[in-house]
Amino acid sequence: MFLTAAYDVGMPSFGIAPERRRGAGGPTGLVPARADRIIRALSWWWASAPLLLFAPAIAYAMGLPDVRREVGWVFGLLALLTAALAPTAGLVAAQIGDRREARGRFLIMAAVSSVSILFFLFFGVLFPECPEGYYC
């Protein structure tokens, strides 16, 4: 009740506001406030992927080289999973919650993530492999 009244009065929503729904919330749809919270959480989760990716380098720069050597691969794997799963889960939540603007935002997130993942696969996995007899 308070959140609905707050949005109607014109209080700031920090860039994310509930969208107007086309139909009544059927049995398969999410409650509008819950859908907005899920979409906001998935957006922040996706935004954390670069921080996860650079966490070992930041730890190394701060004087903790063991983090980079021992568990650096875990942060890279988490960044890849975050970049792939957050837009996918966001698209599903936006579809179920009937949020058109959020669907567009998650499609853009998926495109940015797919380009990043392809760069990682090309330069991190495929490009460094040297044919036999060559020294890279």
Side-chain angles (χ1 to χ4, degrees), residues 34-90:
R34 182 181 298 169
D36 291 334
R37 284 193 299 264
I38 291 170
I39 288 169
R40 185 178 298 126
L42 289 170
S43 297
W44 279 105
W45 183 34
W46 180 79
S48 72
L51 295 174
L52 287 170
L53 186 62
F54 294 122
I58 293 169
Y60 182 77
M62 292 178 63
L64 300 169
D66 294 337
V67 172
R68 187 173 186 177
R69 277 192 301 255
E70 295 177 10
V71 293
W73 64 273
V74 174
F75 285 101
L77 183 63
L78 284 174
L80 283 175
L81 287 174
T82 296
L85 292 179
T88 306

Side-chain angles (χ1 to χ4, degrees), residues 1-9 11 18 33-34 37 40:
M1 179 72 178
F2 174 73
L3 290 175
T4 308
Y7 284 115
D8 291 339
V9 179
M11 294 182 67
R34 182 181 298 169
R37 284 193 299 264
R40 185 178 298 126

